[in-house]
Amino acid sequence: MSKHDELRIDQQQLAEAWQRTLPDTVNETDRATVLPDDGDPKALRITIQAAGHQAYNFDFRVKYVDSREIKTTLVDVEKDGRSVDERTDIIQQLVQDYTRHIHECAQALHGLTHA
């Protein structure tokens, strides 16, 4: 792999591609929103609204390390607009699920990002 294997796609186009693709990888009843990260042109902000009575919102930051690899960071978990303890089993399980879905989405977009 060359050292120049970096992301070569406009951040807005990338966010739009993620917005089209991510809903196919998360649970049908969950809602996902993808926006460019204002502070980093190689990063996106993803909010996933978990379906069901819990009404959790998960905020993730996804940064492209290179054109194929992403680093996913959980930024915050909220319930009814308030931050909640992220260490509970149910939240940890959801975070793992969503992280997996985010990586599936990144893989689905390899054709676009790894040009």
Side-chain angles (χ1 to χ4, degrees):
M1 188 172 86
S2 78
K3 288 187 173 128
H4 302 293
D5 180 25
E6 56 190 53
L7 200 59
R8 288 193 188 86
I9 179 172
D10 176 71
Q11 188 184 30
Q12 187 63 45
Q13 287 178 304
L14 184 64
E16 288 165 9
W18 271 80
Q19 185 63 63
R20 283 192 306 273
T21 309
L22 189 58
D24 295 338
T25 63
V26 298
N27 304 324
E28 274 181 48
T29 49
D30 293 338
R31 292 216 329 255
T33 308
V34 182
L35 296 168
D37 184 316
D38 293 336
D40 185 342
K42 291 190 170 104
L44 301 170
R45 299 303 287 240
I46 295 175
T47 301
I48 297 175
Q49 293 173 302
H53 58 276
Q54 292 120 338
Y56 287 122
N57 273 0
F58 292 81
D59 288 320
F60 292 93
R61 183 171 185 268
V62 173
K63 179 173 174 69
Y64 273 83
V65 179
D66 59 31
S67 68
R68 283 187 292 259
E69 187 185 345
I70 61 168
K71 180 175 187 260
T72 305
T73 310
L74 177 68
V75 177
D76 191 29
V77 181
E78 293 183 349
K79 179 177 180 158
D80 301 323
R82 287 193 298 277
S83 289
V84 296
D85 184 354
E86 296 154 13
R87 295 170 303 218
T88 63
D89 287 346
I90 181 80
I91 291 181
Q92 283 302 309
Q93 193 166 358
L94 286 166
V95 166
Q96 286 178 351
D97 280 352
Y98 291 136
T99 300
R100 192 176 68 246
H101 294 314
I102 288 168
H103 281 267
E104 287 168 10
C105 183
Q107 285 178 332
L109 292 171
H110 272 180
L112 184 67
T113 60
H114 187 63

